[in-house]
Structure formats: structure tokens, C-alpha cells
Amino acid sequence: MNRARALWDRVPAPVVDLVLVVAAALDVWLNLWDDTRLSVALAAVGCAALAFRRRFPLGVFLLTLPLALMQDVAVAVLAALFTLAERSRNRRLLAVCVVLAAVASSTPWPLAEADRAMTLVFFVYSLATSAAPVLFGQLLQARRDLARRLAEVEEAREHERTLHAQAVLARERAQLAREMHDVVSHQVSLIAVRAGALQVAAKDADAKEAARTIRSLSVTTLDELRTMVTLLRASGGRSTELTPQPTLADLRKLVESSGTHAELTGELPGTVGTPAQRALYRTVQEALTNVRKHAPGASARVELWQDGDGVGVTVTNSPPTRPSLSLPGSQQGLVGLRERAEILHGTLEAGPTAQGGYRVRLRVPLSAD
């Protein structure tokens, strides 16, 4: 079945429409009751309209409706009903169209008095016949929606697994940072203190120089150790500082490939420090990820700005246009962004807007290191 569907999907849509128009015309030629010019013209218009059923499903159905007056079961009317049901979510409209098709099919043509009982029987039969393509079209629509929802769920699960792996890595790095700070830093500090004391107490010039060198190297090692500890506590992603890190120059590519309707505005001076650029990039990345995950169909606006000696970014998204998935959120992304902002002596604000959307705002010093 999947192979047959795959082969069917490969058939171009114009070819399908052309075959349907020919089938409807052949059906009219074989089963048309009335061969007057008006009837033939209405039949021709209804069959030709099927070529536009994908763009104007309701209009095409109305154009094919006269065929129901002149045939028991018109292929053109059933095809138009199926297309309308496959593309429309207005069930009241679909019910009205089914009734219209049944009424037209059970109405005597040319108009004349007919047996009421037989007309009622024809109406019930036509109602069932008209409802069949509508039910089938709604079934295909539900199947398509379910497939799209399953794809979204799988994507969200993959994202959750990635976030979980990053959170585990962040905890391991934080634990390693604590060990380095508590053990290594303490030992190196003792070495520096002892070397300083030896430098003061020693009388030999070579001993003094050796002690001074040891003390200088110990202080340098402490500074580098503090930088590494800060890095380990701030980083929670897969990549490390040994790999190329994103900058403001990569923001436009990030926004364009975010999978959402996002717009980037504003500019920042080239004097923004590298850690600040990295924080701005990660904030936009996490905010757009949350928009795609929690606000399906929403649009986003990414605004870069400068405020005195500080720079920042504001990411605001509109309300979602589709129901969001009920998936658990670890909130580790915003926690990591706040920690990164605090390390740079900046601030991060996040919360819903009055219009029903969400806003994330980061501000960091211009020359944050």
C-alpha cells in the first residue's frame, strides 16, 4: 500500500486533473439526459472547472452542481465534493454542500411534477452517495494532519533528547569545575604563598630568582584556572571553546535557517566583545528554538540594539496559529542563558507579552569579557 501511494504521489497534479476532466466528460457523454444547448454548456463548464479544483474547491463545486440535475450520479460533482472535503475544515459548509448535491440529484429534470415518495427515496440515496466522497476527503485530511503531528512530535522528542544530553554534559562540566576550583586552586595558592615566603627569606640570589619564578608561574596558573572554571560553568553545549564559536556575523544565517517566520533588524558596533557576541547568538538561538517548539506557526522578530554602554537583543514572537504540543520542558535553556548573562554582568528577562506571544530580552556590557 505504501508503495502504491508513493507511486501515486509521483504523478504530477496537472496529469491527475486532466485525467479527471476527461473521465467527467466521458461520464457526461454517456449519461446526460438532456442534450439541449444549455445543458451541454453547463456540463462542459462543470467538467472544465475540475482543472481548477485545487485552487477554488468551493467555486468548482458550485459550477458542477447543475450536472447533478441532469444525471443520477455525476463524477464531476463527486470529485468536487471530495476536493472540497479534503481541503476545508468547515464541517457546516460541507454538510450544506452534501445537502445541495442531494437535492439537485433528486430533483426531476426538466422540472416537472413527480411522485413525492420516489423523490424522497432518490433524495436519501443521493444524500448517502454525496456523503461518501466528503467522508473520504475528511479521512485523508485527518491522516495528513496526523502524519504532520507525528513528525512534529518526533522532532520535539529529538530536541528534548539533545537538551537532556546538553544538561547532563553541563552538570558534568560544572562538577569538574568545582573539583578544579576546590582542589587544584587551593594547592596552587599554597605553592604561590610558599614561594613568596621563600623569596623574602632566601639570601642566595639564585634561590630568590627561583622562588620569584615559581610564584609568578603560580599566579599565572591561577588566572588561567579561573578562566577555565568560568568556561566550564558557562558552557552546556556539545561544542567546546576549541571549536569555532558563533559571532554576530552568523546571526542572519541563524535566523534564516530557524524554521520559523523570523525577521532580523538592527545593528551593533564592531567593538562588541567576543563573549558578548556569543551570548547574543546563543540567546537568539534558544529563543527561536522555543518559538518553533512551543508556538507553532508564530512569527518572530529579532531586534539588535545598543543602550549606552550596553548592547542587547530582544526576541519577540506572536501568538501561535496552531495548537502547541503538550511536551515537557526542562527550562534548562533559559537557566543556561541567565547564567551566561550573569557571568558577563548582564541581565536576561523572559516572559509572555500582552498580545499572547513571548519575549526574551538580553542586555550585556559592550566590552564584556
Side-chain angles (χ1 to χ4, degrees):
M1 182 176 178
N2 292 333
R3 180 178 299 178
R5 180 172 179 82
L7 292 175
W8 175 258
D9 291 338
R10 293 180 182 178
V11 180
V15 175
V16 176
D17 293 339
L18 179 60
V19 172
L20 187 58
V21 170
V22 172
L26 182 62
D27 176 63
V28 168
W29 181 61
L30 294 175
N31 300 295
L32 190 66
W33 296 338
D34 190 2
D35 57 354
T36 62
R37 290 186 178 180
L38 177 60
S39 299
V40 172
L42 291 175
V45 170
C47 294
L50 290 177
F52 306 95
R53 63 191 181 93
R54 301 175 191 272
R55 297 185 59 184
F56 312 104
L58 181 58
V60 169
F61 167 73
L62 295 177
L63 290 175
T64 60
L65 195 57
L67 283 171
L69 292 169
M70 299 175 282
Q71 290 184 242
D72 286 332
V73 179
V75 172
V77 178
L78 298 182
L81 275 174
F82 168 76
T83 305
L84 181 62
E86 185 188 14
R87 296 172 179 270
S88 175
R89 299 183 184 274
N90 190 339
R91 296 190 175 180
R92 291 183 179 180
L93 174 64
L94 295 177
V96 170
C97 291
V98 169
V99 172
L100 287 177
V103 170
S105 182
S106 59
T107 300
W109 184 266
L111 295 176
E113 292 186 3
D115 183 77
R116 293 184 178 180
M118 290 302 300
T119 301
L120 181 60
V121 171
F122 283 137
F123 173 76
V124 174
Y125 171 78
S126 301
L127 193 64
T129 305
S130 302
V134 171
L135 294 177
F136 187 55
Q138 288 284 281
L139 179 63
L140 288 185
Q141 184 185 103
R143 182 183 183 277
R144 188 168 55 245
D145 292 343
L146 180 60
R148 183 171 61 250
R149 182 60 59 89
L150 289 177
E152 292 177 354
V153 169
E154 184 60 29
E155 181 182 357
R157 286 179 178 175
E158 182 63 27
H159 183 64
E160 286 293 328
R161 285 193 289 266
T162 301
L163 290 179
H164 177 70
Q166 292 179 353
V168 171
L169 180 60
R171 287 196 295 269
E172 293 176 352
R173 295 167 76 97
Q175 182 178 359
L176 178 60
R178 287 193 296 270
E179 293 294 331
M180 291 178 62
H181 181 272
D182 296 341
V183 179
V184 182
S185 177
H186 176 69
Q187 300 295 337
V188 176
S189 297
L190 289 179
I191 293 174
V193 172
R194 293 297 182 89
L198 179 61
Q199 182 181 359
V200 175
K203 297 182 178 179
D204 183 68
D206 292 338
K208 283 180 175 290
E209 180 63 21
R212 187 193 65 78
T213 301
I214 293 174
R215 183 175 183 276
S216 176
L217 292 176
S218 299
V219 172
T220 302
T221 301
L222 279 175
D223 291 337
E224 294 178 353
L225 180 62
R226 292 190 184 98
T227 301
M228 292 178 64
V229 168
T230 301
L231 170 63
L232 288 173
R233 286 177 174 173
S235 177
R238 297 180 181 177
S239 59
T240 65
E241 295 301 314
L242 297 177
T243 59
Q245 294 298 299
T247 63
L248 292 179
D250 302 313
L251 266 183
R252 186 165 300 279
K253 181 179 179 181
L254 172 66
V255 172
E256 293 176 352
S257 61
S258 63
T260 61
H261 298 287
E263 177 187 8
L264 177 62
T265 61
E267 293 183 358
L268 291 178
T271 56
V272 179
T274 300
Q277 293 190 41
R278 196 176 308 143
L280 294 169
Y281 181 93
R282 295 303 183 192
T283 300
V284 174
Q285 184 182 48
E286 182 65 22
L288 293 179
T289 298
N290 288 337
V291 171
R292 186 176 66 249
K293 176 181 175 183
H294 300 294
S299 60
R301 180 182 178 87
V302 180
E303 181 182 2
L304 300 173
W305 46 268
Q306 182 175 3
D307 180 18
D309 59 345
V311 293
V313 64
T314 302
V315 182
T316 308
N317 65 271
S318 61
T321 59
R322 302 193 305 270
S324 60
L325 299 175
S326 300
L327 297 173
S330 62
Q331 299 295 326
Q332 291 296 324
L334 291 178
V335 172
L337 293 179
R338 285 194 175 93
E339 291 177 352
R340 187 185 293 270
E342 291 174 358
I343 290 174
L344 299 177
H345 306 287
T347 58
L348 180 80
E349 300 173 0
T353 63
Q355 293 75 23
Y358 203 84
R359 178 184 295 111
V360 177
R361 182 180 185 275
L362 172 70
R363 185 186 185 278
V364 293
L366 178 63
S367 58
D369 291 324

PDB file of all heavy atoms in Angstrom, residues 169-204:
ATOM      1  N   LEU A 169      25.766  16.977  30.183  1.00  0.00           N
ATOM      2  CA  LEU A 169      27.133  17.453  29.949  1.00  0.00           C
ATOM      3  C   LEU A 169      27.434  18.684  30.783  1.00  0.00           C
ATOM      4  O   LEU A 169      28.530  18.831  31.331  1.00  0.00           O
ATOM      5  CB  LEU A 169      27.316  17.761  28.460  1.00  0.00           C
ATOM      6  CG  LEU A 169      28.702  18.275  28.034  1.00  0.00           C
ATOM      7  CD1 LEU A 169      29.766  17.247  28.361  1.00  0.00           C
ATOM      8  CD2 LEU A 169      28.706  18.610  26.559  1.00  0.00           C
ATOM      9  N   ALA A 170      26.445  19.576  30.902  1.00  0.00           N
ATOM     10  CA  ALA A 170      26.648  20.784  31.704  1.00  0.00           C
ATOM     11  C   ALA A 170      26.888  20.445  33.168  1.00  0.00           C
ATOM     12  O   ALA A 170      27.733  21.049  33.836  1.00  0.00           O
ATOM     13  CB  ALA A 170      25.435  21.711  31.560  1.00  0.00           C
ATOM     14  N   ARG A 171      26.121  19.456  33.697  1.00  0.00           N
ATOM     15  CA  ARG A 171      26.332  19.065  35.094  1.00  0.00           C
ATOM     16  C   ARG A 171      27.715  18.460  35.297  1.00  0.00           C
ATOM     17  O   ARG A 171      28.390  18.731  36.309  1.00  0.00           O
ATOM     18  CB  ARG A 171      25.257  18.059  35.503  1.00  0.00           C
ATOM     19  CG  ARG A 171      23.871  18.670  35.692  1.00  0.00           C
ATOM     20  CD  ARG A 171      22.952  17.730  36.451  1.00  0.00           C
ATOM     21  NE  ARG A 171      22.697  16.513  35.686  1.00  0.00           N
ATOM     22  CZ  ARG A 171      21.687  16.372  34.838  1.00  0.00           C
ATOM     23  NH1 ARG A 171      20.834  17.373  34.639  1.00  0.00           N
ATOM     24  NH2 ARG A 171      21.507  15.242  34.180  1.00  0.00           N
ATOM     25  N   GLU A 172      28.156  17.645  34.341  1.00  0.00           N
ATOM     26  CA  GLU A 172      29.491  17.059  34.451  1.00  0.00           C
ATOM     27  C   GLU A 172      30.577  18.131  34.410  1.00  0.00           C
ATOM     28  O   GLU A 172      31.551  18.083  35.175  1.00  0.00           O
ATOM     29  CB  GLU A 172      29.702  16.047  33.331  1.00  0.00           C
ATOM     30  CG  GLU A 172      28.806  14.817  33.442  1.00  0.00           C
ATOM     31  CD  GLU A 172      28.973  13.880  32.277  1.00  0.00           C
ATOM     32  OE1 GLU A 172      29.679  14.274  31.316  1.00  0.00           O
ATOM     33  OE2 GLU A 172      28.420  12.761  32.314  1.00  0.00           O
ATOM     34  N   ARG A 173      30.396  19.098  33.525  1.00  0.00           N
ATOM     35  CA  ARG A 173      31.386  20.171  33.421  1.00  0.00           C
ATOM     36  C   ARG A 173      31.376  21.032  34.670  1.00  0.00           C
ATOM     37  O   ARG A 173      32.431  21.493  35.137  1.00  0.00           O
ATOM     38  CB  ARG A 173      31.107  21.015  32.171  1.00  0.00           C
ATOM     39  CG  ARG A 173      31.286  20.259  30.865  1.00  0.00           C
ATOM     40  CD  ARG A 173      30.713  21.026  29.695  1.00  0.00           C
ATOM     41  NE  ARG A 173      31.570  22.122  29.298  1.00  0.00           N
ATOM     42  CZ  ARG A 173      32.445  22.076  28.307  1.00  0.00           C
ATOM     43  NH1 ARG A 173      32.575  20.976  27.614  1.00  0.00           N
ATOM     44  NH2 ARG A 173      33.180  23.117  28.005  1.00  0.00           N
ATOM     45  N   ALA A 174      30.169  21.284  35.227  1.00  0.00           N
ATOM     46  CA  ALA A 174      30.100  22.072  36.459  1.00  0.00           C
ATOM     47  C   ALA A 174      30.767  21.338  37.617  1.00  0.00           C
ATOM     48  O   ALA A 174      31.451  21.944  38.445  1.00  0.00           O
ATOM     49  CB  ALA A 174      28.645  22.390  36.798  1.00  0.00           C
ATOM     50  N   GLN A 175      30.569  20.011  37.678  1.00  0.00           N
ATOM     51  CA  GLN A 175      31.217  19.239  38.729  1.00  0.00           C
ATOM     52  C   GLN A 175      32.731  19.267  38.572  1.00  0.00           C
ATOM     53  O   GLN A 175      33.480  19.410  39.547  1.00  0.00           O
ATOM     54  CB  GLN A 175      30.705  17.795  38.691  1.00  0.00           C
ATOM     55  CG  GLN A 175      31.293  16.910  39.791  1.00  0.00           C
ATOM     56  CD  GLN A 175      30.735  15.505  39.742  1.00  0.00           C
ATOM     57  OE1 GLN A 175      29.900  15.198  38.895  1.00  0.00           O
ATOM     58  NE2 GLN A 175      31.181  14.649  40.648  1.00  0.00           N
ATOM     59  N   LEU A 176      33.184  19.137  37.331  1.00  0.00           N
ATOM     60  CA  LEU A 176      34.619  19.218  37.073  1.00  0.00           C
ATOM     61  C   LEU A 176      35.156  20.594  37.458  1.00  0.00           C
ATOM     62  O   LEU A 176      36.256  20.709  38.019  1.00  0.00           O
ATOM     63  CB  LEU A 176      34.891  18.942  35.592  1.00  0.00           C
ATOM     64  CG  LEU A 176      36.347  19.041  35.129  1.00  0.00           C
ATOM     65  CD1 LEU A 176      37.217  18.059  35.888  1.00  0.00           C
ATOM     66  CD2 LEU A 176      36.452  18.808  33.635  1.00  0.00           C
ATOM     67  N   ALA A 177      34.385  21.642  37.178  1.00  0.00           N
ATOM     68  CA  ALA A 177      34.814  22.996  37.538  1.00  0.00           C
ATOM     69  C   ALA A 177      34.940  23.142  39.046  1.00  0.00           C
ATOM     70  O   ALA A 177      35.876  23.766  39.544  1.00  0.00           O
ATOM     71  CB  ALA A 177      33.815  24.012  36.986  1.00  0.00           C
ATOM     72  N   ARG A 178      33.983  22.571  39.782  1.00  0.00           N
ATOM     73  CA  ARG A 178      34.070  22.651  41.251  1.00  0.00           C
ATOM     74  C   ARG A 178      35.294  21.926  41.774  1.00  0.00           C
ATOM     75  O   ARG A 178      35.985  22.400  42.687  1.00  0.00           O
ATOM     76  CB  ARG A 178      32.799  22.068  41.863  1.00  0.00           C
ATOM     77  CG  ARG A 178      31.572  22.960  41.716  1.00  0.00           C
ATOM     78  CD  ARG A 178      30.440  22.483  42.609  1.00  0.00           C
ATOM     79  NE  ARG A 178      29.971  21.157  42.217  1.00  0.00           N
ATOM     80  CZ  ARG A 178      29.007  20.945  41.344  1.00  0.00           C
ATOM     81  NH1 ARG A 178      28.389  21.969  40.781  1.00  0.00           N
ATOM     82  NH2 ARG A 178      28.623  19.715  41.045  1.00  0.00           N
ATOM     83  N   GLU A 179      35.573  20.741  41.197  1.00  0.00           N
ATOM     84  CA  GLU A 179      36.751  19.987  41.635  1.00  0.00           C
ATOM     85  C   GLU A 179      38.031  20.772  41.359  1.00  0.00           C
ATOM     86  O   GLU A 179      38.937  20.829  42.196  1.00  0.00           O
ATOM     87  CB  GLU A 179      36.781  18.626  40.934  1.00  0.00           C
ATOM     88  CG  GLU A 179      35.661  17.687  41.327  1.00  0.00           C
ATOM     89  CD  GLU A 179      35.762  17.260  42.781  1.00  0.00           C
ATOM     90  OE1 GLU A 179      36.890  17.207  43.299  1.00  0.00           O
ATOM     91  OE2 GLU A 179      34.715  16.988  43.395  1.00  0.00           O
ATOM     92  N   MET A 180      38.112  21.352  40.185  1.00  0.00           N
ATOM     93  CA  MET A 180      39.304  22.134  39.842  1.00  0.00           C
ATOM     94  C   MET A 180      39.456  23.327  40.771  1.00  0.00           C
ATOM     95  O   MET A 180      40.559  23.655  41.229  1.00  0.00           O
ATOM     96  CB  MET A 180      39.213  22.603  38.389  1.00  0.00           C
ATOM     97  CG  MET A 180      39.328  21.487  37.364  1.00  0.00           C
ATOM     98  SD  MET A 180      39.147  22.083  35.674  1.00  0.00           S
ATOM     99  CE  MET A 180      40.533  23.196  35.564  1.00  0.00           C
ATOM    100  N   HIS A 181      38.333  23.972  41.078  1.00  0.00           N
ATOM    101  CA  HIS A 181      38.404  25.151  41.932  1.00  0.00           C
ATOM    102  C   HIS A 181      38.759  24.778  43.372  1.00  0.00           C
ATOM    103  O   HIS A 181      39.581  25.438  44.015  1.00  0.00           O
ATOM    104  CB  HIS A 181      37.069  25.893  41.893  1.00  0.00           C
ATOM    105  CG  HIS A 181      37.051  27.142  42.718  1.00  0.00           C
ATOM    106  ND1 HIS A 181      36.705  27.138  44.049  1.00  0.00           N
ATOM    107  CD2 HIS A 181      37.370  28.424  42.407  1.00  0.00           C
ATOM    108  CE1 HIS A 181      36.793  28.371  44.526  1.00  0.00           C
ATOM    109  NE2 HIS A 181      37.195  29.169  43.550  1.00  0.00           N
ATOM    110  N   ASP A 182      38.138  23.705  43.877  1.00  0.00           N
ATOM    111  CA  ASP A 182      38.333  23.359  45.288  1.00  0.00           C
ATOM    112  C   ASP A 182      39.676  22.707  45.559  1.00  0.00           C
ATOM    113  O   ASP A 182      40.277  22.921  46.613  1.00  0.00           O
ATOM    114  CB  ASP A 182      37.215  22.414  45.747  1.00  0.00           C
ATOM    115  CG  ASP A 182      35.853  23.098  45.690  1.00  0.00           C
ATOM    116  OD1 ASP A 182      35.834  24.350  45.659  1.00  0.00           O
ATOM    117  OD2 ASP A 182      34.834  22.387  45.654  1.00  0.00           O
ATOM    118  N   VAL A 183      40.163  21.894  44.633  1.00  0.00           N
ATOM    119  CA  VAL A 183      41.385  21.130  44.873  1.00  0.00           C
ATOM    120  C   VAL A 183      42.599  21.807  44.244  1.00  0.00           C
ATOM    121  O   VAL A 183      43.545  22.210  44.932  1.00  0.00           O
ATOM    122  CB  VAL A 183      41.233  19.686  44.328  1.00  0.00           C
ATOM    123  CG1 VAL A 183      42.511  18.897  44.553  1.00  0.00           C
ATOM    124  CG2 VAL A 183      40.056  18.995  45.003  1.00  0.00           C
ATOM    125  N   VAL A 184      42.571  21.957  42.926  1.00  0.00           N
ATOM    126  CA  VAL A 184      43.746  22.478  42.228  1.00  0.00           C
ATOM    127  C   VAL A 184      44.030  23.915  42.633  1.00  0.00           C
ATOM    128  O   VAL A 184      45.186  24.294  42.899  1.00  0.00           O
ATOM    129  CB  VAL A 184      43.547  22.366  40.707  1.00  0.00           C
ATOM    130  CG1 VAL A 184      44.789  22.852  39.968  1.00  0.00           C
ATOM    131  CG2 VAL A 184      43.229  20.929  40.322  1.00  0.00           C
ATOM    132  N   SER A 185      42.969  24.725  42.689  1.00  0.00           N
ATOM    133  CA  SER A 185      43.173  26.125  43.039  1.00  0.00           C
ATOM    134  C   SER A 185      43.766  26.269  44.429  1.00  0.00           C
ATOM    135  O   SER A 185      44.652  27.101  44.667  1.00  0.00           O
ATOM    136  CB  SER A 185      41.836  26.868  42.943  1.00  0.00           C
ATOM    137  OG  SER A 185      41.995  28.208  43.353  1.00  0.00           O
ATOM    138  N   HIS A 186      43.312  25.449  45.358  1.00  0.00           N
ATOM    139  CA  HIS A 186      43.845  25.520  46.727  1.00  0.00           C
ATOM    140  C   HIS A 186      45.328  25.156  46.760  1.00  0.00           C
ATOM    141  O   HIS A 186      46.144  25.858  47.399  1.00  0.00           O
ATOM    142  CB  HIS A 186      43.047  24.569  47.626  1.00  0.00           C
ATOM    143  CG  HIS A 186      43.567  24.488  49.029  1.00  0.00           C
ATOM    144  ND1 HIS A 186      43.477  25.529  49.919  1.00  0.00           N
ATOM    145  CD2 HIS A 186      44.205  23.474  49.688  1.00  0.00           C
ATOM    146  CE1 HIS A 186      44.022  25.187  51.076  1.00  0.00           C
ATOM    147  NE2 HIS A 186      44.473  23.946  50.960  1.00  0.00           N
ATOM    148  N   GLN A 187      45.699  24.087  46.060  1.00  0.00           N
ATOM    149  CA  GLN A 187      47.094  23.654  46.067  1.00  0.00           C
ATOM    150  C   GLN A 187      48.011  24.689  45.396  1.00  0.00           C
ATOM    151  O   GLN A 187      49.105  24.988  45.901  1.00  0.00           O
ATOM    152  CB  GLN A 187      47.214  22.303  45.351  1.00  0.00           C
ATOM    153  CG  GLN A 187      46.402  21.185  45.976  1.00  0.00           C
ATOM    154  CD  GLN A 187      46.895  20.836  47.371  1.00  0.00           C
ATOM    155  OE1 GLN A 187      48.044  21.096  47.733  1.00  0.00           O
ATOM    156  NE2 GLN A 187      46.013  20.244  48.181  1.00  0.00           N
ATOM    157  N   VAL A 188      47.573  25.226  44.266  1.00  0.00           N
ATOM    158  CA  VAL A 188      48.395  26.212  43.573  1.00  0.00           C
ATOM    159  C   VAL A 188      48.531  27.485  44.407  1.00  0.00           C
ATOM    160  O   VAL A 188      49.594  28.138  44.422  1.00  0.00           O
ATOM    161  CB  VAL A 188      47.804  26.522  42.192  1.00  0.00           C
ATOM    162  CG1 VAL A 188      48.594  27.633  41.498  1.00  0.00           C
ATOM    163  CG2 VAL A 188      47.818  25.281  41.324  1.00  0.00           C
ATOM    164  N   SER A 189      47.476  27.860  45.128  1.00  0.00           N
ATOM    165  CA  SER A 189      47.559  29.043  46.003  1.00  0.00           C
ATOM    166  C   SER A 189      48.592  28.830  47.101  1.00  0.00           C
ATOM    167  O   SER A 189      49.371  29.747  47.437  1.00  0.00           O
ATOM    168  CB  SER A 189      46.188  29.329  46.622  1.00  0.00           C
ATOM    169  OG  SER A 189      45.242  29.637  45.620  1.00  0.00           O
ATOM    170  N   LEU A 190      48.630  27.635  47.677  1.00  0.00           N
ATOM    171  CA  LEU A 190      49.639  27.338  48.702  1.00  0.00           C
ATOM    172  C   LEU A 190      51.052  27.420  48.125  1.00  0.00           C
ATOM    173  O   LEU A 190      51.982  27.932  48.770  1.00  0.00           O
ATOM    174  CB  LEU A 190      49.397  25.944  49.284  1.00  0.00           C
ATOM    175  CG  LEU A 190      48.151  25.790  50.183  1.00  0.00           C
ATOM    176  CD1 LEU A 190      48.028  24.354  50.662  1.00  0.00           C
ATOM    177  CD2 LEU A 190      48.253  26.740  51.383  1.00  0.00           C
ATOM    178  N   ILE A 191      51.202  26.914  46.887  1.00  0.00           N
ATOM    179  CA  ILE A 191      52.520  26.995  46.242  1.00  0.00           C
ATOM    180  C   ILE A 191      52.932  28.456  46.074  1.00  0.00           C
ATOM    181  O   ILE A 191      54.098  28.829  46.325  1.00  0.00           O
ATOM    182  CB  ILE A 191      52.491  26.269  44.892  1.00  0.00           C
ATOM    183  CG1 ILE A 191      52.295  24.768  45.103  1.00  0.00           C
ATOM    184  CG2 ILE A 191      53.771  26.530  44.106  1.00  0.00           C
ATOM    185  CD1 ILE A 191      52.115  23.984  43.813  1.00  0.00           C
ATOM    186  N   ALA A 192      52.000  29.302  45.643  1.00  0.00           N
ATOM    187  CA  ALA A 192      52.324  30.710  45.453  1.00  0.00           C
ATOM    188  C   ALA A 192      52.696  31.384  46.771  1.00  0.00           C
ATOM    189  O   ALA A 192      53.639  32.190  46.829  1.00  0.00           O
ATOM    190  CB  ALA A 192      51.125  31.420  44.814  1.00  0.00           C
ATOM    191  N   VAL A 193      51.977  31.055  47.835  1.00  0.00           N
ATOM    192  CA  VAL A 193      52.276  31.656  49.147  1.00  0.00           C
ATOM    193  C   VAL A 193      53.647  31.209  49.646  1.00  0.00           C
ATOM    194  O   VAL A 193      54.468  32.024  50.117  1.00  0.00           O
ATOM    195  CB  VAL A 193      51.171  31.285  50.156  1.00  0.00           C
ATOM    196  CG1 VAL A 193      51.570  31.729  51.562  1.00  0.00           C
ATOM    197  CG2 VAL A 193      49.853  31.947  49.763  1.00  0.00           C
ATOM    198  N   ARG A 194      53.901  29.906  49.540  1.00  0.00           N
ATOM    199  CA  ARG A 194      55.222  29.401  49.990  1.00  0.00           C
ATOM    200  C   ARG A 194      56.354  29.979  49.149  1.00  0.00           C
ATOM    201  O   ARG A 194      57.430  30.309  49.673  1.00  0.00           O
ATOM    202  CB  ARG A 194      55.228  27.872  49.897  1.00  0.00           C
ATOM    203  CG  ARG A 194      54.281  27.192  50.864  1.00  0.00           C
ATOM    204  CD  ARG A 194      54.680  27.461  52.322  1.00  0.00           C
ATOM    205  NE  ARG A 194      53.813  26.774  53.249  1.00  0.00           N
ATOM    206  CZ  ARG A 194      54.015  25.547  53.700  1.00  0.00           C
ATOM    207  NH1 ARG A 194      55.080  24.867  53.289  1.00  0.00           N
ATOM    208  NH2 ARG A 194      53.185  25.002  54.561  1.00  0.00           N
ATOM    209  N   ALA A 195      56.142  30.114  47.860  1.00  0.00           N
ATOM    210  CA  ALA A 195      57.185  30.692  47.007  1.00  0.00           C
ATOM    211  C   ALA A 195      57.430  32.143  47.371  1.00  0.00           C
ATOM    212  O   ALA A 195      58.586  32.620  47.361  1.00  0.00           O
ATOM    213  CB  ALA A 195      56.780  30.579  45.540  1.00  0.00           C
ATOM    214  N   GLY A 196      56.365  32.882  47.699  1.00  0.00           N
ATOM    215  CA  GLY A 196      56.543  34.274  48.115  1.00  0.00           C
ATOM    216  C   GLY A 196      57.319  34.369  49.413  1.00  0.00           C
ATOM    217  O   GLY A 196      58.198  35.246  49.568  1.00  0.00           O
ATOM    218  N   ALA A 197      57.035  33.481  50.353  1.00  0.00           N
ATOM    219  CA  ALA A 197      57.779  33.484  51.613  1.00  0.00           C
ATOM    220  C   ALA A 197      59.237  33.125  51.399  1.00  0.00           C
ATOM    221  O   ALA A 197      60.145  33.724  52.005  1.00  0.00           O
ATOM    222  CB  ALA A 197      57.129  32.515  52.597  1.00  0.00           C
ATOM    223  N   LEU A 198      59.479  32.150  50.531  1.00  0.00           N
ATOM    224  CA  LEU A 198      60.863  31.751  50.242  1.00  0.00           C
ATOM    225  C   LEU A 198      61.612  32.884  49.557  1.00  0.00           C
ATOM    226  O   LEU A 198      62.810  33.104  49.824  1.00  0.00           O
ATOM    227  CB  LEU A 198      60.848  30.511  49.352  1.00  0.00           C
ATOM    228  CG  LEU A 198      62.230  29.972  48.932  1.00  0.00           C
ATOM    229  CD1 LEU A 198      63.045  29.571  50.157  1.00  0.00           C
ATOM    230  CD2 LEU A 198      62.071  28.787  47.982  1.00  0.00           C
ATOM    231  N   GLN A 199      60.943  33.636  48.705  1.00  0.00           N
ATOM    232  CA  GLN A 199      61.595  34.749  48.018  1.00  0.00           C
ATOM    233  C   GLN A 199      62.042  35.822  49.009  1.00  0.00           C
ATOM    234  O   GLN A 199      63.104  36.433  48.851  1.00  0.00           O
ATOM    235  CB  GLN A 199      60.636  35.358  46.997  1.00  0.00           C
ATOM    236  CG  GLN A 199      61.224  36.508  46.185  1.00  0.00           C
ATOM    237  CD  GLN A 199      60.230  37.099  45.210  1.00  0.00           C
ATOM    238  OE1 GLN A 199      59.095  36.640  45.131  1.00  0.00           O
ATOM    239  NE2 GLN A 199      60.651  38.102  44.471  1.00  0.00           N
ATOM    240  N   VAL A 200      61.247  36.024  50.052  1.00  0.00           N
ATOM    241  CA  VAL A 200      61.610  37.033  51.064  1.00  0.00           C
ATOM    242  C   VAL A 200      62.711  36.528  51.973  1.00  0.00           C
ATOM    243  O   VAL A 200      63.652  37.272  52.338  1.00  0.00           O
ATOM    244  CB  VAL A 200      60.364  37.419  51.883  1.00  0.00           C
ATOM    245  CG1 VAL A 200      60.732  38.353  53.014  1.00  0.00           C
ATOM    246  CG2 VAL A 200      59.332  38.078  50.981  1.00  0.00           C
ATOM    247  N   ALA A 201      62.642  35.229  52.341  1.00  0.00           N
ATOM    248  CA  ALA A 201      63.588  34.708  53.336  1.00  0.00           C
ATOM    249  C   ALA A 201      64.917  34.292  52.739  1.00  0.00           C
ATOM    250  O   ALA A 201      65.945  34.307  53.435  1.00  0.00           O
ATOM    251  CB  ALA A 201      62.951  33.525  54.065  1.00  0.00           C
ATOM    252  N   ALA A 202      64.935  33.906  51.495  1.00  0.00           N
ATOM    253  CA  ALA A 202      66.168  33.401  50.894  1.00  0.00           C
ATOM    254  C   ALA A 202      67.209  34.516  50.763  1.00  0.00           C
ATOM    255  O   ALA A 202      66.880  35.669  50.456  1.00  0.00           O
ATOM    256  CB  ALA A 202      65.865  32.790  49.542  1.00  0.00           C
ATOM    257  N   LYS A 203      68.480  34.144  51.014  1.00  0.00           N
ATOM    258  CA  LYS A 203      69.574  35.106  50.891  1.00  0.00           C
ATOM    259  C   LYS A 203      70.376  34.899  49.607  1.00  0.00           C
ATOM    260  O   LYS A 203      71.032  35.821  49.126  1.00  0.00           O
ATOM    261  CB  LYS A 203      70.501  34.986  52.099  1.00  0.00           C
ATOM    262  CG  LYS A 203      69.800  35.329  53.419  1.00  0.00           C
ATOM    263  CD  LYS A 203      70.750  35.236  54.585  1.00  0.00           C
ATOM    264  CE  LYS A 203      70.057  35.618  55.894  1.00  0.00           C
ATOM    265  NZ  LYS A 203      70.962  35.524  57.070  1.00  0.00           N
ATOM    266  N   ASP A 204      70.309  33.699  49.065  1.00  0.00           N
ATOM    267  CA  ASP A 204      71.023  33.421  47.826  1.00  0.00           C
ATOM    268  C   ASP A 204      70.246  34.016  46.645  1.00  0.00           C
ATOM    269  O   ASP A 204      69.015  33.890  46.562  1.00  0.00           O
ATOM    270  CB  ASP A 204      71.174  31.911  47.652  1.00  0.00           C
ATOM    271  CG  ASP A 204      71.983  31.585  46.396  1.00  0.00           C
ATOM    272  OD1 ASP A 204      73.182  31.876  46.351  1.00  0.00           O
ATOM    273  OD2 ASP A 204      71.339  31.051  45.445  1.00  0.00           O
TER     274      ASP A 204
END
